[in-house]
Amino acid sequence: MLRTLPALFRLARAGFVMAREGVFSGVEVELTPPPAHLPLRIANLIARRQSEETTRAHRISNALERLGPSYIKLGQFLATRPDLVGMAVARDLETLQDSLPSMPLDKAEARIEEALGRPVGDMFESIEPALAAASIAQVHKAVTLDPHTGARAEVAVKVLRPGVEARFARDLHTFYIAARLLERMVSKLRRLRPVAVVDTLAESVRLEMDLRMEAAALAEMADNVKADQGFRVPSVDWDRSGAQVLTIEWIDGRKLSDVDGIRADGHDLQKLGATIIQSFLRHAMRDGFFHADMHPGNLFIEPDGTLVAVDLGITGRLGLAERRFLAEILFGFITRNYRRTAEVHFEAGYVPAHHDVDSFAQALRAIGEPIHGRNASQISMGRLLTQLFEVTDLFDMRTQPQLIMLQKTMVVVEGVARTLDPNLDIWKTSDPVVSEWIRGNLSPIKQAEEVAKSAVTAARLISDAPDMMMKLQRIANAYDPEAPGASSDKNQSPVWLWPTALVASAVVIGVALVVA
């Protein structure tokens, strides 16, 4: 209770700031649930006057910046969850910039020395003032000197801001209270699991605040893509990295936001756009591990045309089941097999079994049919997935955070690719990656291989059954109720042993047959 009251006051202040900045202006009061009518009317009364040119995105940005870094991070996170805030608000939140004043160089150097336990001069020949500062960390350019070879190397040094852990912990507590209130007061929101959403945000922030996790993500992706052409990530300087400091190679390339500069450099924009789409899908489907923040500021093009992705603080993972789900969904829409697409949802357990497969297939047809017959450059895979998740509200489909993150990243990736090539055919570009994954994982040959592996496992379980029975025999002997030496039958098994052993063996064999 002592922690709840301050959190409620902070929540009330956040509501006032957002109302004052006009975040709720323009909301149709009559279209909202009755409990929201009075608060919305009060919010409209206290909203300060703004020019007609002020967009809602600008009002939201102003409010979250006034509330501080934690709310900026919340806004950026909600931009990846259109299922919660709606596509319109999600698009407004996409423009939110996480840019704050940087701490002075001397404080940053003290932070580095404290984190790594060595003087800055021993680790870097030189270090420059921060180039960029966000809510969690800031980035410096530095130069290292190898004492043995004398070789110099330019690096980027990411330093965690001081006090950031305590600030986020306090605000996350407030977010949890808000989420619990929403679940309790608005029954329709329970399907979207607001508390689970805050759990995901908290986990994301926790990982971002341990820079070793980003270093590990860079290393993992480097291993995944080492044989890929045209895509890479920076290497990590492990000797100069820790929980609060991350040092990676300096990328001397052009940001993808500078399209005119990329064109002037003579790069093939169509090829680059295709590389972005195919790389993302390859990471998601082949590796089950993808960069979940692929906006233009995190992508560079090197002089030789290689695409380099930086800032892997936010990543996504897909298990084999989710990858199969994604592949079959995309393939089902491409082939207009809506029945199969619906079945995949039920097989994955995403749609409750009490719903009708044919009715769900009909809803999917309403999404898929409008895209057929249209120019491929007008069709967005990300928007298709967005509509798919929107219609699931009718069928009680519970939110799948990993799929929502994938969908939202897909929207961003498509947007970046089409700034380079407005006529990019998403489906044609994606087909080689999707088809390769389906051939490698869902083809009859692959299925036969899986059955063969299962048969080997089953045979091993069956062959182990006698050993299991002998172990049961020894266990029973060890717990013989008769005192040692009291009877010549002391080693005889109790009457319950063999029926139990037979049942256990039957279970083992039954499981083996099911697996096979």
Side-chain angles (χ1 to χ4, degrees):
M1 187 66 181
L2 293 176
R3 291 186 63 199
T4 302
L5 282 176
L8 289 174
F9 280 117
R10 289 194 296 269
L11 195 58
R13 176 182 175 271
F16 175 81
V17 169
M18 286 191 282
R20 182 65 176 158
E21 291 296 330
V23 171
F24 308 111
S25 298
V27 175
E28 295 284 347
V29 176
E30 289 73 18
L31 298 180
T32 62
H37 290 181
L38 181 60
L40 281 175
R41 289 192 175 97
I42 295 174
N44 289 331
L45 286 175
I46 63 176
R48 63 187 180 89
R49 290 188 176 184
Q50 302 187 53
S51 65
E52 294 182 359
E53 290 76 21
T54 303
T55 63
R56 182 175 59 182
H58 186 71
R59 295 196 296 268
I60 293 174
S61 179
N62 284 345
L64 297 182
E65 286 173 7
R66 279 186 59 186
L67 290 169
S70 304
Y71 285 84
I72 293 174
K73 185 62 65 178
L74 174 65
Q76 292 175 326
F77 178 76
L78 290 177
T80 70
R81 298 298 305 272
D83 58 317
L84 288 175
V85 297
M87 278 305 303
V89 174
R91 282 193 291 268
D92 291 337
L93 290 170
E94 285 175 1
T95 64
L96 192 61
Q97 298 297 313
D98 191 357
S99 180
L100 297 172
S102 62
M103 59 179 164
L105 180 58
D106 58 341
K107 289 187 177 181
E109 290 179 336
R111 182 81 164 153
I112 294 171
E113 290 183 351
E114 178 186 1
L116 299 180
R118 288 181 286 167
V120 169
D122 291 350
M123 294 181 284
F124 304 102
E125 185 180 55
S126 64
I127 185 167
E128 300 178 7
L131 301 173
S135 56
I136 289 179
Q138 62 185 46
V139 178
H140 301 257
K141 184 178 182 180
V143 176
T144 62
L145 176 64
D146 189 317
H148 303 293
T149 64
R152 288 178 170 80
E154 293 183 332
V155 294
V157 185
K158 190 173 184 178
V159 186
L160 209 66
R161 298 173 74 93
V164 66
E165 296 96 336
R167 175 67 181 267
F168 271 89
R170 187 191 71 186
D171 287 339
L172 281 170
H173 178 61
T174 305
F175 299 158
Y176 272 116
I177 289 178
R180 292 189 187 102
L181 287 173
L182 285 174
E183 285 196 356
R184 191 173 302 168
M185 298 172 62
V186 187
S187 58
K188 287 187 176 181
L189 287 181
R190 290 172 193 157
R191 181 187 71 89
L192 300 175
R193 299 186 290 175
V195 173
V197 171
V198 181
D199 284 336
T200 306
L201 172 63
E203 178 67 7
S204 173
V205 169
R206 186 183 69 81
L207 295 178
E208 277 196 80
M209 288 192 293
D210 187 340
L211 297 181
R212 292 172 299 187
M213 298 302 294
E214 183 175 346
L218 285 164
E220 181 177 352
M221 185 161 284
D223 284 342
N224 291 342
V225 305
K226 59 187 175 183
D228 295 351
Q229 297 294 321
F231 182 92
R232 73 180 189 92
V233 293
S235 60
V236 177
D237 185 337
W238 291 99
D239 291 336
R240 298 174 178 84
S241 297
Q244 298 175 339
V245 177
L246 171 64
T247 303
I248 62 174
E249 69 168 298
W250 181 262
I251 302 301
D252 192 12
R254 192 182 291 276
K255 285 188 178 183
L256 257 65
S257 53
D258 186 5
V259 178
D260 291 335
I262 294 172
R263 185 181 292 107
D265 291 339
H267 292 294
D268 185 337
L269 299 188
Q270 292 181 339
K271 180 180 178 181
L272 183 56
T275 298
I276 294 169
I277 295 292
Q278 292 179 348
S279 295
F280 169 72
L281 283 176
R282 196 173 289 116
H283 303 160
M285 300 185 70
R286 180 193 66 190
D287 308 326
F289 179 63
F290 60 92
H291 191 321
D293 195 19
M294 289 182 69
H295 62 74
N298 284 340
L299 297 173
F300 290 81
I301 179 72
E302 293 184 305
D304 67 353
T306 300
L307 182 68
V308 185
V310 303
D311 194 1
L312 265 73
I314 304 176
T315 57
R317 290 191 183 274
L318 296 176
L320 186 60
E322 285 83 15
R323 284 182 265 169
R324 178 192 170 190
F325 175 79
L326 174 65
E328 294 216 51
I329 288 294
L330 297 178
F331 194 70
F333 273 108
I334 291 171
T335 59
R336 302 173 72 183
N337 190 346
Y338 304 113
R339 168 78 186 193
R340 177 57 193 152
T341 305
E343 290 172 348
V344 171
H345 281 76
F346 282 80
E347 289 171 6
Y350 294 154
V351 176
H354 66 268
H355 284 289
D356 180 57
V357 176
D358 291 318
S359 295
F360 190 58
Q362 181 181 354
L364 297 180
R365 183 179 294 275
I367 298 171
E369 285 302 303
I371 72 174
H372 289 284
R374 296 181 63 187
N375 186 295
S377 65
Q378 300 174 321
I379 302 170
S380 164
M381 189 181 298
R383 303 297 180 191
L384 176 68
L385 292 174
T386 300
Q387 292 179 46
L388 173 64
F389 296 139
E390 285 175 348
V391 80
T392 55
D393 184 25
L394 298 173
F395 294 87
D396 305 315
M397 177 172 165
R398 298 194 74 189
T399 297
Q400 305 296 324
Q402 68 276 25
L403 294 177
I404 295 294
M405 179 174 281
L406 172 87
Q407 169 265 325
K408 189 58 183 177
T409 308
M410 189 75 234
V411 171
V412 174
V413 169
E414 282 185 348
V416 174
R418 280 186 167 146
T419 59
L420 300 168
D421 179 11
N423 297 315
L424 181 70
D425 184 336
I426 296 295
W427 301 100
K428 183 178 179 181
T429 303
S430 305
D431 182 64
V433 179
V434 176
S435 297
E436 180 182 359
W437 193 89
I438 289 177
R439 284 194 302 270
N441 294 272
L442 302 180
S443 66
I445 294 177
K446 184 66 176 180
Q447 297 299 316
E449 289 177 355
E450 293 299 323
V451 170
K453 289 179 183 177
S454 299
V456 171
T457 302
R460 188 179 298 116
L461 286 171
I462 293 172
S463 66
D464 289 344
D467 289 339
M468 182 179 293
M469 293 172 68
M470 292 301 296
K471 289 177 182 177
L472 285 170
Q473 169 82 50
R474 288 195 293 271
I475 292 170
N477 290 342
Y479 286 91
D480 193 326
E482 296 185 8
S487 168
S488 60
D489 296 327
K490 68 177 183 177
N491 291 324
Q492 184 176 346
S493 303
V495 295
W496 50 264
L497 173 62
W498 285 106
T500 303
L502 289 172
V503 171
S505 299
V507 170
V508 170
I509 294 170
V511 170
L513 292 173
V514 169
V515 170

